[in-house]
Amino acid sequence: MDLLRFSTAGSVDDGKSTLIGRLLYDSKTIFEDQLESIEGASNKKGLDHVDLSLLTDGLRDEREQGITIDVAYRYFATPKRKFIIADTPGHIQYTRNMVTGASTSNLALILIDARKGILEQTKRHSFIASLLQIKHIIVCVNKMDLVDYGEETFEEIKAAYIDFASKLDVEDIRFIPISALKGDNVVDKGDKMDWYSGGSLLNTLEEIYISSDRNLIDCRFPVQNVIRPHSDEYHDYRGYAGRVESGVFKVGDEVMTLPTGFTSKIKTINCGKADVAEAFPPMSVCMTLEDDIDTSRGDMIVRVKNQPEATQDLDVMLCWLGDNKLVVGKKYIIRHTSNEARTIIKEIQYKVDINTLHRLKEDKNIAMNDISRVTLRTTKPLLVDSYKNNKSTGSFIIVDEGDFNTVAAGMII
Amino acid sequence: MNYNLDHLSELESESIFIIREAFAQFENPCILFSGGKDSIVTTHLALKAFYPAKLPFPLVHIDTGHNFKETLDFRDALVKENGARLIVGSVQKSIDDGKVAEETGVNASRNKLQTTTLLDTIEEGQFDACLGGARRDEEKARAKERFFSHRDDFGQWDPKNQRPELWNILNGRKKMGENFRVFPISNWTEMDIWQYIKREQIALPSLYFAHERDVLERHGVLLGYDKNVHTLREGDKVEKRMIRFRTIGDISITGASESTADDLDKIIAEVAAARVTERSGRADDKRSDSAMEDRKKEGYF
Ligand SMILES: Nc1nc2c(ncn2[C@@H]2O[C@H](COP(=O)(O)OP(=O)(O)O)[C@@H](O)[C@H]2O)c(=O)[nH]1
């Protein structure tokens, strides 16, 4: 069984919570005690049906305000797949949560209210999915019961979305007409929309082939820790612990450690007590090399003939997440793979209007939720690839030196 | 070779990655060890993360003084086998020192008192990160928990003020006095845990397997009866039943369920068919719908 991670997004009241509640409910992930508790809460609210959206409303503050305010993770499994949902809120001010949820997802599920069609937020969500290089989007046109399950409405929305999406970089977009409230096309197909020939949402999620987000070509192994047992049995053992971010490493492979540039061969690869012959993403392993090389956290093990770029100058797309505005020329901390350096933002090239996708060249005012293209200079070279080729070595975060909050997420161009 | 990892291996790999990050980013981390299956799995993953070196941080156990003997025996055996370091924080001592007052009444529990002992133990040991076995699927308030969860200098959790976590880049930078809780198995479900325990043949306290025991039924929750912990009141009946525990905590509140599942396969079948969440056996969550969230804000892990 494999794992599919997807993010959900929709504007407020599009029915996202109801949809997730239904997926959990119909896949029997909801337990009796949880159901009892939301039945009680639904009664208290004076509802005559069980409000499935209450299942996903986590924190008390939210319950009181009646909105979702942060990324929440949900789990369910069918006999075919295990799913992790990054449930992100649909508020204008919470673009940062959507970026966060999307950063670990293989697929984005976007909800549209059939009565309203494509809204600014639909575009915003789609753009973020594309920016974060999510290769699959499922567009659910919800509340079909309120438009008499009409095929025409669905087709109109679909056409409009396809038109808009031509500006995006997404490989695979699918459309499903659903009613989250009544259940049509969520888990079962139901009998209201015979004109729709595709699978139900759950069926699509189970069957969709996730063209691997993993890069199996460029070998990148950022060293997290050096393992030195200091025991008699393993007196000379010096292992490099880390996770294979891309490529396949095999025992006997000629490798190079960066930034030092020493070459050696892989002697052993182990995962706990088990020795393995090869390691591929996203395996966490420990490697030893034939030669005693001085390598530490922040270094990277790669193939001699396939190296990342070592650079202090970065051209990036930046999502600002912090409460305080971006300050050009101010020193920040940059964290990239297992490495850390200091950085200054040298120049803002443009800000993206994420509703129209226009480049705003004059607007240099970057605040929370803004997406911009900027250039950075770091205090030491980082070992980078473009985000498009390698999500792990192409991504970074920026941390404020004062309060140490994570204030931005970046993707290297 | 198709180079695909199954879901358990992918979760394992993610957890090991997080544990190694915690070791690298913090000066003095520890594992909060409750004796329950989740903290046992967390410890197993930590051993794996650093093999062949020894576990590079201690196990911290908050002893309510109301622990099952099986839990303590298991803990001591695990510590011995792996040459680990054990630090015990005693709730009894916090009571004796007058830092907390014992709850009274028939539903008295030391669960809430644990928080003070825990925060004191963290301060005494100067731990800047505590690894715990909490999972996001356990409880509503945990669905938003981060891998690296920031606590202010009173050990409190502010759900609105958590750092966003993107890709797998973890930010453990902190100011003096602040610390972190680290949750390496956030993405695991109860089912994943059991399947993994089976795959890795991880030993567990016998309490998890069906056995005959004296139990006391209260508010629909079956409690493992202990005469030193539970005050019997009128109408209380203690009887022998075939039960097992789905979570293990303080004797006063840990609920059991009737079961004949005496091996891992039977437990997995039972979990797959289960219709109530594992936490529902915990009397502490029943206090109110937001009970867990309130305790978390105070510093409970
Ligand atoms: N008629 C109808 N109502 C729906 C449907 N899905 C959601 N709703 C209702 O729309 C409202 C908002 O739903 P909710 O799930 O809370 O939206 P969210 O803000 O996107 O999470 C609620 O009153 C739902 O009952 C649907 O398919 N059909």
Side-chain angles (χ1 to χ4, degrees):
Chain A
M1 189 159 75
D2 64 352
L3 195 59
L4 176 74
R5 301 179 196 237
F6 67 95
S7 64
T8 55
S11 309
V12 182
D13 286 343
D14 280 351
K16 188 164 58 67
S17 311
T18 309
L19 177 66
I20 294 174
R22 180 155 293 283
L23 280 173
L24 302 182
Y25 182 75
D26 286 354
S27 65
K28 307 205 167 36
T29 309
I30 295 174
F31 296 104
E32 273 162 18
D33 53 327
Q34 289 172 311
L35 200 57
E36 262 170 40
S37 134
I38 63 161
E39 272 167 4
S42 301
N43 283 340
K44 247 188 242 165
K45 283 172 68 180
L47 298 174
D48 52 4
H49 64 277
V50 177
D51 185 352
L52 288 175
S53 72
L54 291 175
L55 272 173
T56 60
D57 270 352
L59 301 173
R60 165 188 289 190
D61 294 332
E62 291 183 346
R63 247 171 292 147
E64 280 165 6
Q65 292 168 29
I67 52 159
T68 318
I69 53 169
D70 204 341
V71 187
Y73 295 87
R74 324 273 171 205
Y75 304 83
F76 71 101
T78 69
K80 294 198 174 132
R81 263 192 175 144
K82 176 184 158 99
F83 299 94
I84 301 182
I85 312 177
D87 178 11
T88 65
H91 271 255
I92 301 176
Q93 60 268 48
Y94 291 112
T95 297
R96 65 176 232 160
N97 295 329
M98 241 154 39
V99 172
T100 305
S103 74
T104 51
S105 296
N106 312 103
L107 180 150
L109 197 150
I110 291 175
L111 246 84
I112 297 178
D113 184 329
R115 297 167 305 171
K116 298 186 191 148
I118 296 176
L119 303 178
E120 279 195 354
Q121 289 179 50
T122 318
K123 296 186 184 172
R124 195 184 342 242
H125 299 154
S126 307
F127 170 64
I128 287 171
S130 151
L131 182 71
L132 277 278
Q133 291 284 317
I134 293 184
K135 302 208 169 77
H136 310 269
I137 289 183
I138 298 180
V139 178
C140 286
V141 179
N142 188 31
K143 306 198 185 182
M144 288 301 290
D145 56 304
L146 297 181
V147 295
D148 294 329
Y149 295 104
E151 179 174 12
E152 221 163 90
T153 311
F154 174 72
E155 289 299 335
E156 267 167 35
I157 292 173
K158 183 172 163 181
Y161 190 91
I162 289 174
D163 181 48
F164 154 76
S166 62
K167 286 184 257 178
L168 303 177
D169 183 17
V170 182
E171 279 172 14
D172 172 25
I173 304 177
R174 300 168 194 225
F175 299 84
I176 308 178
I178 65 166
S179 168
L181 191 68
K182 311 262 157 127
D184 305 271
N185 284 336
V186 178
V187 172
D188 301 310
K189 289 203 56 174
D191 52 10
K192 301 284 194 328
M193 290 177 276
D194 289 337
W195 47 265
Y196 169 72
S197 58
S200 71
L201 172 62
L202 185 64
N203 182 258
T204 308
L205 288 170
E206 283 182 328
E207 300 295 335
I208 200 163
Y209 175 74
I210 295 303
S211 60
S212 182
D213 289 346
R214 295 170 309 156
N215 167 337
L216 293 174
I217 295 164
D218 310 308
C219 292
R220 305 284 184 262
F221 186 80
V223 175
Q224 280 184 280
N225 326 100
V226 179
I227 306 236
R228 308 238 32 198
H230 301 293
S231 64
D232 292 343
E233 192 184 348
Y234 293 99
H235 191 74
D236 294 322
Y237 184 98
R238 186 184 175 87
Y240 304 107
R243 174 152 90 170
V244 179
E245 296 299 352
S246 55
V248 179
F249 289 86
K250 298 188 172 84
V251 170
D253 277 354
E254 189 121 18
V255 291
M256 177 180 255
T257 61
L258 294 176
T260 43
F262 293 121
T263 55
S264 185
K265 275 192 181 147
I266 299 177
K267 188 168 157 192
T268 60
I269 304 176
N270 72 285
C271 177
K273 287 179 188 159
D275 278 323
V276 294
E278 52 185 353
F280 52 90
M283 280 169 72
S284 284
V285 296
C286 189
M287 277 184 204
T288 61
L289 302 180
E290 294 286 356
D291 307 277
D292 222 349
I293 289 174
D294 190 20
T295 292
S296 54
R297 178 174 167 85
D299 292 356
M300 202 183 288
I301 300 180
V302 303
R303 298 294 293 265
V304 181
K305 293 216 177 81
N306 179 337
Q307 298 180 25
E309 186 188 356
T311 178
Q312 283 175 266
D313 293 294
L314 303 173
D315 183 6
V316 309
M317 294 302 292
L318 202 64
C319 307
W320 200 256
L321 314 168
D323 292 321
N324 299 324
K325 289 181 178 167
L326 178 159
V327 180
V328 173
K330 177 180 154 161
K331 288 197 185 68
Y332 293 96
I333 298 164
I334 181 167
R335 299 183 73 97
H336 171 259
T337 65
S338 55
N339 209 345
E340 184 177 286
R342 294 171 86 200
T343 187
I344 53 167
I345 294 158
K346 274 176 39 193
E347 201 190 342
I348 297 166
Q349 314 271 358
Y350 56 82
K351 178 160 138 184
V352 181
D353 177 330
I354 58 174
N355 298 315
T356 60
L357 303 191
H358 287 153
R359 298 174 175 186
L360 310 173
K361 292 217 156 84
E362 305 310 317
D363 191 349
K364 306 270 157 119
N365 192 7
I366 308 294
M368 188 193 286
N369 298 312
D370 283 340
I371 291 172
S372 58
R373 180 162 175 172
V374 307
T375 50
L376 303 177
R377 170 96 184 156
T378 58
T379 47
K380 66 177 185 191
L382 299 179
L383 302 162
V384 307
D385 294 291
S386 73
Y387 184 75
K388 211 171 160 49
N389 283 332
N390 204 318
K391 279 193 181 177
S392 300
T393 49
S395 57
F396 62 87
I397 60 169
I398 289 182
V399 174
D400 188 276
E401 284 198 316
D403 58 15
F404 298 130
N405 277 330
T406 302
V407 295
M411 287 149 284
I412 295 160
I413 292 170
Chain B
M1 230 8 225
N2 62 4
Y3 298 119
N4 277 329
L5 278 190
D6 62 83
H7 76 290
L8 288 181
S9 302
E10 184 168 340
L11 290 172
E12 175 191 62
S13 173
E14 177 179 86
S15 303
I16 289 177
F17 174 84
I18 292 160
I19 293 167
R20 287 171 172 171
E21 278 306 291
F23 177 64
Q25 294 194 33
F26 299 105
E27 275 163 34
N28 194 17
C30 66
I31 293 182
L32 295 178
F33 186 82
S34 70
K37 66 181 191 314
D38 297 333
S39 67
I40 293 169
V41 166
T42 303
T43 307
H44 176 87
L45 290 162
L47 286 163
K48 233 175 160 169
F50 301 104
Y51 182 86
K54 285 224 166 75
L55 196 62
F57 25 73
L59 302 180
V60 169
H61 184 221
I62 301 306
D63 185 354
T64 57
H66 291 166
N67 273 297
F68 291 102
K69 179 171 180 305
E70 290 91 332
T71 310
L72 298 180
D73 291 348
F74 181 90
R75 174 195 78 187
D76 294 340
L78 182 86
V79 164
K80 194 158 167 232
E81 185 188 328
N82 295 294
R85 204 149 62 83
L86 175 71
I87 292 166
V88 179
S90 158
V91 173
Q92 186 62 53
K93 186 164 176 299
S94 303
I95 294 170
D96 296 345
D97 290 352
K99 288 195 168 154
V100 291
E102 181 104 75
E103 289 184 8
T104 53
V106 279
N107 290 322
S109 142
R110 286 185 168 182
N111 204 46
K112 199 156 185 281
L113 311 186
Q114 278 188 76
T115 303
T116 302
T117 312
L118 173 67
L119 295 180
D120 286 349
T121 310
I122 291 172
E123 196 172 316
E124 231 164 81
Q126 296 187 321
F127 298 114
D128 56 352
C130 304
L131 282 72
R135 308 191 320 267
R136 288 179 183 143
D137 85 321
E138 266 178 89
E139 213 279 337
K140 274 185 289 192
R142 282 188 168 155
K144 312 195 162 186
E145 191 51 281
R146 305 297 199 267
F147 292 125
F148 275 19
S149 172
H150 180 259
R151 302 299 156 110
D152 65 17
D153 41 7
F154 296 102
Q156 298 183 89
W157 183 65
D158 177 1
K160 284 217 179 115
N161 194 19
Q162 290 294 314
R163 296 173 181 175
E165 281 179 348
L166 297 105
W167 300 288
N168 48 44
I169 311 175
L170 298 165
N171 174 8
R173 284 292 199 122
K174 61 187 182 315
K175 289 185 275 197
M176 282 286 287
E178 296 177 337
N179 62 58
F180 276 79
R181 298 295 155 75
V182 176
F183 301 113
I185 59 167
S186 290
N187 276 333
W188 299 51
T189 60
E190 185 184 12
M191 189 50 136
D192 299 327
I193 293 283
W194 283 111
Q195 289 173 339
Y196 186 71
I197 287 170
K198 178 166 185 232
R199 188 182 94 172
E200 301 282 301
Q201 301 183 322
I202 299 171
L204 289 182
S206 55
L207 297 162
Y208 279 111
F209 300 93
H211 58 284
E212 214 170 57
R213 176 177 290 264
D214 281 340
V215 295
L216 177 64
E217 185 165 347
R218 274 199 191 146
H219 313 297
V221 178
L222 282 182
L223 301 168
Y225 176 66
D226 183 323
K227 65 177 187 318
N228 298 321
V229 175
H230 299 110
T231 322
L232 289 181
R233 61 182 162 180
E234 254 197 69
D236 271 345
K237 203 166 67 189
V238 176
E239 53 189 341
K240 267 209 185 341
R241 293 208 209 162
M242 194 68 171
I243 57 110
R244 69 177 201 86
F245 292 93
R246 289 177 72 188
T247 63
I248 293 181
D250 191 87
I251 293 187
S252 64
I253 52 147
T254 305
S257 51
E258 284 191 277
S259 168
T260 52
D262 54 6
D263 66 27
L264 287 175
D265 285 320
K266 288 183 197 152
I267 290 174
I268 290 171
E270 196 183 277
V271 171
R275 300 303 302 149
V276 289
T277 60
E278 51 187 327
R279 290 200 75 84
S280 73
R282 298 187 67 134
D284 50 333
D285 285 342
K286 296 222 158 160
R287 292 184 174 193
S288 88
D289 201 28
S290 317
M292 167 71 103
E293 192 180 327
D294 293 339
R295 274 179 293 127
K296 265 181 82 89
K297 283 184 177 166
E298 285 163 16
Y300 178 89
F301 45 92

